[in-house]
Amino acid sequence: MDKITSPTPIAILLATYNGGQYLMEQLDSLLQQTCQEWTLYIHDDGSTDNTHAILREYAQKHSNIHILEYESQRGAMRNFLSLLQRVEADYYMFCDQDDVWLKQKVELSFEEMKRQEAARQGKPIIVYTDLYVTDAALNITCNSFWQEICLHPEFITTFDEMAASTAVTGCTMLFNRQVKDNVVFPATHATMHDAWITACTLRKNGKIIPIFQPLVYYRQHEDNCIGSDDLNHINLAYRIKNFRTMQRRNWQLYRMLRSLGYGSIVKFFYYKWKYKQRIQHKAGL
């Protein structure tokens, strides 16, 4: 496998597949970032729309945008991880083809990373942010993705506590080289690339640091691979109606964690229960 060394501290990794409808808005939002210490690496997974034409146009105009040509990876997770394996950098960010980044996303994430590294030298560190949820036209439908899915990042800080949630959304991540060095390949039992990287990091006592500020417009449309509705409205009626789906998700999460040495399923459900108790206590229930 050929390795590419990024000339900038940050490598942004973009996996595309039939993303032509929204891709230009995302690329423009990267080019408008207040911090430009990044190089963009893109691998397309076999698009049949105008994605290739858009990518070629931007790559020809901008020297910090590179298209990597290699075999199809057959899916977003494998596509992102293939980019991570091929690109050498000090820091990494993942970029989805259909979102839009706020102008200060890279700058604020990078500043927080530097603060965390100064306090925790040599540690694997992931910095991640909240998101604005939008419709296809980027009209904001929710000011906090974390609030919409009832996520409390402050209660998910260890490998054990990942039983509650995978917590980190890939398009919000900035992580250092130490994180990559601890990622297990191949990611045989991964539920998604961001969940796998988070689990590998916490397994090695790394840190995941939330920024309680939305820095991404998280576009929801009919072609999303994963959307906010996947976790929304999880009340009693939802749980009864979707019991089998939720059990399948629990099993997939547990299987992923177990493959990294998590332990018993009793421990898994204990930490799920503990997370709910902490949320209720915080709410004063």
Coordinates of all heavy atoms in Angstrom, one line a residue, residues 26 98-103 131-134 138-140 171 214-220:
Q26 N -20.0 21.6 0.4 CA -19.0 21.1 1.4 C -17.6 21.5 1.0 O -16.9 22.0 1.9 CB -19.1 19.5 1.5 CG -18.1 18.9 2.4 CD -18.3 19.4 3.9 OE1 -18.1 20.5 4.2 NE2 -18.7 18.4 4.7
D98 N -21.8 15.5 2.2 CA -23.1 16.3 2.1 C -23.3 17.3 3.2 O -24.4 17.9 3.3 CB -24.3 15.3 2.1 CG -24.2 14.2 3.1 OD1 -23.3 14.3 4.0 OD2 -25.1 13.3 3.1
D99 N -22.4 17.5 4.1 CA -22.5 18.5 5.2 C -21.9 19.8 4.8 O -21.3 19.9 3.7 CB -21.9 18.0 6.5 CG -22.5 16.7 7.0 OD1 -23.7 16.5 6.8 OD2 -21.7 15.8 7.6
V100 N -22.0 20.7 5.7 CA -21.3 22.0 5.5 C -20.6 22.4 6.8 O -21.3 22.3 7.9 CB -22.3 23.1 5.1 CG1 -21.6 24.5 5.2 CG2 -22.8 22.9 3.7
W101 N -19.4 22.8 6.8 CA -18.6 23.1 8.0 C -18.7 24.6 8.3 O -18.6 25.4 7.4 CB -17.2 22.8 7.9 CG -16.9 21.3 7.9 CD1 -17.8 20.3 7.9 CD2 -15.6 20.6 8.0 NE1 -17.2 19.1 7.9 CE2 -15.8 19.2 8.0 CE3 -14.3 21.1 8.1 CZ2 -14.8 18.3 8.1 CZ3 -13.3 20.2 8.2 CH2 -13.5 18.8 8.2
L102 N -18.9 25.0 9.5 CA -18.8 26.4 9.9 C -17.4 26.9 9.7 O -16.4 26.1 9.9 CB -19.3 26.6 11.4 CG -20.8 26.8 11.6 CD1 -21.6 25.5 11.3 CD2 -21.1 27.3 13.0
K103 N -17.2 28.2 9.5 CA -15.9 28.7 9.1 C -14.8 28.4 10.1 O -13.6 28.3 9.8 CB -16.0 30.2 8.7 CG -16.8 30.4 7.5 CD -16.8 31.9 7.2 CE -17.5 32.2 5.9 NZ -17.6 33.7 5.5
L131 N -23.4 19.3 16.6 CA -23.8 19.7 15.2 C -25.1 20.3 15.2 O -26.0 20.1 16.0 CB -23.9 18.4 14.4 CG -22.8 17.4 14.4 CD1 -23.0 16.3 15.5 CD2 -22.6 16.6 13.0
Y132 N -25.3 21.2 14.2 CA -26.7 21.7 13.9 C -27.3 20.6 13.0 O -26.7 20.2 12.0 CB -26.6 23.0 13.1 CG -26.2 24.2 13.9 CD1 -25.0 24.9 13.7 CD2 -27.0 24.7 14.9 CE1 -24.6 26.0 14.4 CE2 -26.6 25.8 15.7 CZ -25.4 26.5 15.4 OH -25.0 27.6 16.1
V133 N -28.5 20.2 13.2 CA -29.2 19.3 12.4 C -30.0 20.2 11.4 O -30.7 21.2 11.8 CB -30.2 18.4 13.1 CG1 -30.9 17.5 12.2 CG2 -29.4 17.6 14.2
T134 N -29.9 19.9 10.1 CA -30.6 20.7 9.1 C -31.4 19.8 8.1 O -31.2 18.6 8.1 CB -29.7 21.5 8.2 OG1 -29.1 20.7 7.2 CG2 -28.6 22.2 9.1
L138 N -30.4 23.0 4.2 CA -29.6 23.6 5.2 C -30.4 24.5 6.2 O -29.8 25.4 6.9 CB -28.4 24.3 4.7 CG -27.3 23.5 4.0 CD1 -26.1 24.4 3.6 CD2 -26.8 22.4 4.9
N139 N -31.7 24.4 6.2 CA -32.5 25.1 7.2 C -32.4 24.3 8.5 O -32.6 23.1 8.6 CB -34.0 25.1 6.8 CG -34.2 25.9 5.5 OD1 -33.8 27.1 5.4 ND2 -34.8 25.3 4.6
I140 N -32.0 25.0 9.6 CA -31.7 24.3 10.9 C -33.0 23.8 11.5 O -34.0 24.6 11.7 CB -31.0 25.3 11.9 CG1 -29.6 25.6 11.4 CG2 -30.9 24.6 13.3 CD1 -28.9 26.7 12.2
C171 N -17.7 13.2 11.3 CA -17.5 14.5 10.7 C -17.2 15.6 11.6 O -16.9 16.7 11.2 CB -18.7 14.9 9.8 SG -20.2 15.1 10.7
P214 N -22.0 23.6 18.3 CA -22.2 23.0 16.9 C -21.2 23.7 15.9 O -21.2 24.9 15.8 CB -23.6 23.3 16.6 CG -24.2 23.7 17.9 CD -23.1 24.3 18.7
L215 N -20.5 22.9 15.2 CA -19.6 23.5 14.2 C -19.8 22.8 12.8 O -19.0 23.0 11.9 CB -18.1 23.3 14.6 CG -17.7 24.1 15.9 CD1 -16.3 23.8 16.3 CD2 -17.9 25.6 15.6
V216 N -20.9 22.0 12.7 CA -21.2 21.4 11.4 C -22.7 21.6 11.2 O -23.5 21.4 12.1 CB -20.8 19.9 11.4 CG1 -21.3 19.2 10.1 CG2 -19.3 19.7 11.6
Y217 N -23.0 21.9 9.9 CA -24.4 21.7 9.5 C -24.6 20.3 9.0 O -24.1 19.9 7.9 CB -24.8 22.8 8.4 CG -24.7 24.2 8.8 CD1 -23.8 25.1 8.3 CD2 -25.6 24.7 9.8 CE1 -23.7 26.4 8.8 CE2 -25.6 26.0 10.2 CZ -24.6 26.8 9.7 OH -24.6 28.2 10.1
Y218 N -25.3 19.5 9.8 CA -25.5 18.1 9.6 C -26.8 17.9 8.7 O -27.9 17.8 9.2 CB -25.6 17.4 10.9 CG -25.5 15.9 11.0 CD1 -24.7 15.2 10.1 CD2 -26.3 15.2 11.9 CE1 -24.7 13.8 10.1 CE2 -26.2 13.8 12.0 CZ -25.4 13.1 11.1 OH -25.3 11.7 11.1
R219 N -26.6 17.8 7.4 CA -27.7 17.8 6.5 C -28.4 16.4 6.5 O -27.7 15.4 6.3 CB -27.1 18.1 5.1 CG -28.2 18.4 4.1 CD -27.8 18.4 2.6 NE -26.6 19.1 2.4 CZ -26.6 20.3 1.8 NH1 -27.8 20.9 1.5 NH2 -25.5 21.0 1.5
Q220 N -29.7 16.5 6.7 CA -30.5 15.2 6.6 C -31.3 15.2 5.3 O -32.0 16.2 5.0 CB -31.4 15.2 7.8 CG -30.7 15.2 9.2 CD -29.9 14.0 9.3 OE1 -30.3 12.8 9.4 NE2 -28.6 14.2 9.4

